[in-house]
């Protein structure tokens, strides 16, 4: 039995069909991935790779709350791995490493899978995502380039490579490939995203607004990632100081608390990054944002001690600092001090301290904290466009500190 990518899988025909639909949803950022992934397991509870897919999906939330579900998936996958293929058993090992917190080990396992089975779409996408969130842009690009000859004109793969090219500074090639991916498949949101990043980095906001507005009709059925595309559109409006348009997109699109997508996962890490960074960007430009920080701060308090997403940590702190929640802010800082990951201890922690100091008006302290970090911010993960919010905070405080002096 083969999957969509002509790789053997050990399951039934019904489970295979559901699994293939789940892979399509996974690569397309569709909202129905959980439905298809669960259908595969209902059709064949002994399907080890199906359990791995569910475990991966849980861990991609980068939330401490979903780790137990991933561990349950690992136990089921391990129990049924005896009759699995070598590739499937390699995925079970990768999931085991990730559940244990050894993401570097999981990346090595996925790379070994790709060395033998270069068309393993799970390994392609999981390396792509995790290199990105670890701030390893060069490795993200190199991993894709190693397997590129096996992917021909696959629009999803082209979208991933386009984003990797953009994050490593090859804007012309990134835009060309991203546009081609979307031409092949107008629903290809990751390709749309790659081009949006090029337009952001090259300061082409009018083109960015037109690009995303033209593609929006193709986004029906997409999952939470569509919020990030609307955030990009808001960033283009922000560049033109069209603040009313930014706030409308905030309330109606990427932070609409009444929408089914947001209601299902109101503390999703990318959504939190979108919301907090936009509010701070607006405030740095003198725009009043009202009570919008409060709901983010409530969620931040509930996530104190959860450091699985290093880049989200400064955003949680933005909300706590903006609402004057000094006690929870200090508790969050304390929880980060003993964390084993260097990016959290050595970069996210002082960045969070700087966010808190900026809100207190301690601008000299912000400069002192941020100056040694400017060359290390990429270790937090995220894109150049996303990390720019911390650069803006630093520049604002440096300007105010110089003025005071």
């Amino acid at each position: 039995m083969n999957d969509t990518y002509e790789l053997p899988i050990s399951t039934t025909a019904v489970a295979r069909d559901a699994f293939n639909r789940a892979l399509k949803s996974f690569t397309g950022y569709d909202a129905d991935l959980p439905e298809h992934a669960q259908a595969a397991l209902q059709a064949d509870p002994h399907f080890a790779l199906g359990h791995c897919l569910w475990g991966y999906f849980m861990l991609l939330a980068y939330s401490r709350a979903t780790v137990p579900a991933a561990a349950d998936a690992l136990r089921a996958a391990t129990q049924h791995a005896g009759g699995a293929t070598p590739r499937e058993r390699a995925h079970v090992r990768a999931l085991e490493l990730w559940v244990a917190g050894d993401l570097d080990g999981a990346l090595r396992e996925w790379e070994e899978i790709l060395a033998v089975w270069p068309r393993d779409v799970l390994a392609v996408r999981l390396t792509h995502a995790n290199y990105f969130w670890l701030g390893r842009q060069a490795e993200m690009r190199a991993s894709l380039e190693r397997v590129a000859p096996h992917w021909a004109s696959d629009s999803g793969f082209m979208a991933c490579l386009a984003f990797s090219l953009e994050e490593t500074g090859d804007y012309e090639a990134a835009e060309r490939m991203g546009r081609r991916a979307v031409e092949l498949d107008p629903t290809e949101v990751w390709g749309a995203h790659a081009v949006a990043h090029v337009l952001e980095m090259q300061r082409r906001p009018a083109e960015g607004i037109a690009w995303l507005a033209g593609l929006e009709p193709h986004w029906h059925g997409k999952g939470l990632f569509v919020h990030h595309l609307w955030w990009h559109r808001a960033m283009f409006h922000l560049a033109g100081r069209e603040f009313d348009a930014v706030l409308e997109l905030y309330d109606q699109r990427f932070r609409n608390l009444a929408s089914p997508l947001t209601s299902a996962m109101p503390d999703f890490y990318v959504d939190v990054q979108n919301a907090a960074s936009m509010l701070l960007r607006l405030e740095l430009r003198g725009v009043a944002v009202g009570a919008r920080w409060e709901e983010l701060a409530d969620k931040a308090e509930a996530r104190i001690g959860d450091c699985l997403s290093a880049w989200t940590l400064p955003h949680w702190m933005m909300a706590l600092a903006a609402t004057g929640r000094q006690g929870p802010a200090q508790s969050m800082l304390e929880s980060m001090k003993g964390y084993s990951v260097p990016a959290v201890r050595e970069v996210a922690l002082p960045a969070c301290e700087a966010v808190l100091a900026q809100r207190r008006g301690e601008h000299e302290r912000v400069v002192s904290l941020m100056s040694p970090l400017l060359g290390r911010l990429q270790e937090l993960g995220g894109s150049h466009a996303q990390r720019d919010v911390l650069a803006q905070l630093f520049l604002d405080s440096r300007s105010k500190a110089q003025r005071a002096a």
Side-chain angles (χ1 to χ4, degrees):
M1 198 77 67
N2 287 349
D3 67 12
T4 301
Y5 301 91
E6 297 303 315
L7 295 174
I9 52 176
S10 50
T11 188
T12 66
V14 175
R16 174 205 58 191
D17 292 344
F19 182 73
N20 282 337
R21 288 193 293 271
L23 289 181
K24 184 178 183 297
S25 297
F26 177 59
T27 58
Y29 296 87
D30 296 333
D32 60 3
L33 168 59
E35 171 190 332
H36 295 309
Q38 285 299 307
L41 293 175
Q42 288 165 9
D44 181 6
H46 304 290
F47 184 18
L49 189 58
H51 288 291
C52 285
L53 174 61
W54 187 253
Y56 287 152
F57 180 57
M58 292 293 101
L59 292 178
L60 282 168
Y62 298 99
S63 168
R64 199 167 56 181
T66 61
V67 173
D72 289 342
L74 171 62
R75 280 190 286 273
T78 303
Q79 180 182 352
H80 303 300
T85 68
R87 181 179 68 92
E88 291 172 314
R89 291 197 296 273
H91 273 293
V92 176
R93 292 193 297 272
L95 178 60
E96 181 179 15
L97 289 163
W98 197 1
V99 167
D102 184 2
L103 189 47
D104 282 317
L107 282 163
R108 287 191 295 272
E109 196 69 50
W110 292 320
E111 291 288 10
E112 289 176 11
I113 290 172
L114 290 173
V116 181
W117 300 280
R119 282 186 57 78
D120 186 308
V121 75
L122 281 176
V124 166
R125 292 302 183 111
L126 291 165
T127 53
H128 184 59
N130 282 296
Y131 282 138
F132 172 66
W133 289 117
L134 290 171
R136 301 177 187 175
Q137 294 93 335
E139 291 176 77
M140 177 174 67
R141 176 174 173 174
S143 179
L144 292 169
E145 289 178 333
R146 281 193 292 272
V147 299
H150 301 274
W151 285 89
S153 57
D154 182 276
S155 60
F157 183 85
M158 293 172 70
C160 291
L161 187 52
F163 182 64
S164 296
L165 290 166
E166 181 278 325
E167 284 296 294
T168 51
D170 196 343
Y171 298 137
E172 182 180 347
E175 182 173 1
R176 184 172 62 250
M177 188 166 290
R179 287 184 182 274
R180 178 58 179 155
V182 174
E183 181 183 332
L184 291 169
D185 178 5
T187 71
E188 178 46 71
V189 290
W190 195 246
H193 171 248
V195 175
H197 268 273
V198 172
L199 300 177
E200 172 73 27
M201 297 301 290
Q202 294 187 332
R203 301 179 187 275
R204 297 156 61 188
E207 291 178 68
I209 292 169
W211 168 249
L212 294 174
L215 291 173
E216 186 170 342
H218 301 287
W219 298 344
H220 177 72
K222 297 299 177 182
L224 287 163
F225 183 70
V226 75
H227 294 166
H228 189 61
L229 292 175
W230 283 322
W231 176 84
H232 271 283
R233 182 167 175 178
M235 287 281 283
F236 292 129
H237 286 290
L238 185 71
R241 300 186 69 80
E242 299 166 351
F243 301 135
D244 288 343
V246 174
L247 288 171
E248 182 178 0
L249 282 164
Y250 185 100
D251 293 331
Q252 301 302 320
R253 296 296 192 179
F254 65 89
R255 197 56 188 167
N256 181 354
L257 298 174
S259 78
L261 282 174
T262 305
S263 299
M265 191 176 287
D267 63 347
F268 181 59
Y269 69 109
V270 181
D271 282 357
V272 170
Q273 296 165 11
N274 294 336
S277 69
M278 188 58 73
L279 293 182
L280 183 58
R281 283 177 165 94
L282 286 166
E283 289 188 333
L284 290 173
R285 289 158 177 78
V287 179
V289 299
R292 291 177 177 87
W293 283 114
E294 291 293 339
E295 59 93 7
L296 292 171
D298 291 342
K299 295 171 180 65
E301 285 201 39
R303 294 290 292 272
I304 290 172
D306 188 343
C307 302
L308 291 182
S309 171
W311 175 231
T312 311
L313 294 170
H315 298 82
W316 289 128
M317 183 57 77
M318 290 172 196
L320 294 175
T323 53
R325 305 189 189 193
Q326 300 297 326
Q330 290 301 322
S331 296
M332 180 178 165
L333 294 176
E334 288 300 318
S335 73
M336 295 165 66
K337 288 178 182 176
Y339 202 70
S340 60
V341 177
V344 171
R345 248 187 4 260
E346 300 170 14
V347 186
L349 175 57
C352 288
E353 291 175 326
V355 168
L356 189 58
Q358 189 266 350
R359 185 63 66 166
R360 291 171 172 168
E362 301 168 356
H363 298 296
E364 290 184 0
R365 177 163 167 73
V366 174
V367 174
S368 175
L369 286 163
M370 288 295 297
S371 294
L373 298 182
L374 296 179
R376 296 189 64 185
L377 291 179
Q378 73 177 46
E379 295 176 37
L380 296 177
S383 67
H384 299 301
Q386 289 175 300
R387 292 192 302 274
D388 185 60
V389 69
L390 292 183
Q392 290 186 33
L393 180 142
F394 167 74
L395 292 172
D396 178 75
S397 283
R398 188 176 69 175
S399 172
K400 289 173 179 174
Q402 289 172 344
R403 197 177 311 138

